[in-house]
Amino acid sequence: MIVKRKWLTILALALAVGLVSWYVSNTDVQVTNGEQTQQKFVINMVTGEFSSETEDGKEIESYRWDPGTVMIPKGKEVLLSIYGVNGKEHPFIIEGTHYKGTVKKGEETLLSVQFDKAGIYRLICKTHARIENNGPMIAYLIVD
């Protein structure tokens, strides 16, 4: 089988882009708090919206966190960076914890979290918690 140089170049570029994306998404950043500097694992999320029209002309929409499922190492301090893209604001809680906040359109919300118990924790937008409110806007934080 003969592989053309063009396909090898495309494969090499795709591999390079994949490796750079993986490295950037898994790189710790330094967060300075007063005089203390420490390394934190950062998870980037955004707010998103889907909209459509039913056959009878009714406008429908749904909000979501993206990504909708996030893996978090048990016992490791993690910085959630959530950028508001769609929707004016999204007040949220992380079910079963004391963590809460609000993501506003055009702003980044930073939340430092640490889970010492394995399990699935739901990040729930209180405004869009159910289908009746253009939801459910729920992300699953899987701690292992």
Side-chain angles (χ1 to χ4, degrees), residues 9-121:
T9 303
I10 291 171
L11 179 62
L13 284 172
L15 183 59
V17 168
L19 286 172
V20 167
S21 297
W22 176 84
Y23 176 77
V24 169
S25 68
N26 288 299
T27 301
D28 289 348
V29 297
Q30 286 191 347
V31 177
T32 303
N33 182 7
E35 294 181 13
Q36 294 179 322
T37 301
Q38 54 188 331
Q39 297 283 29
K40 288 193 181 181
F41 184 76
V42 178
I43 295 175
N44 298 97
M45 300 176 77
V46 296
T47 62
E49 175 186 17
F50 290 104
S51 61
S52 186
E53 189 176 296
T54 63
E55 289 183 20
D56 63 357
K58 179 183 175 187
E59 291 281 330
I60 57 174
E61 63 184 11
S62 180
Y63 289 93
R64 62 171 279 135
W65 303 107
D66 191 25
T69 303
V70 175
M71 301 296 289
I72 297 177
K74 183 175 86 171
K76 183 164 184 164
E77 190 171 354
V78 172
L79 184 65
L80 289 179
S81 166
I82 310 172
Y83 186 70
V85 176
N86 294 102
K88 183 177 178 181
E89 66 178 27
H90 301 281
F92 66 86
I93 61 166
I94 298 179
E95 190 175 59
T97 73
H98 65 280
Y99 300 121
K100 61 183 177 178
T102 300
V103 178
K104 295 181 180 179
K105 187 173 190 171
E107 295 181 18
E108 178 184 33
T109 298
L110 298 172
L111 182 66
S112 184
V113 299
Q114 182 173 338
F115 299 92
D116 295 322
K117 191 174 182 183
I120 299 174
Y121 297 82

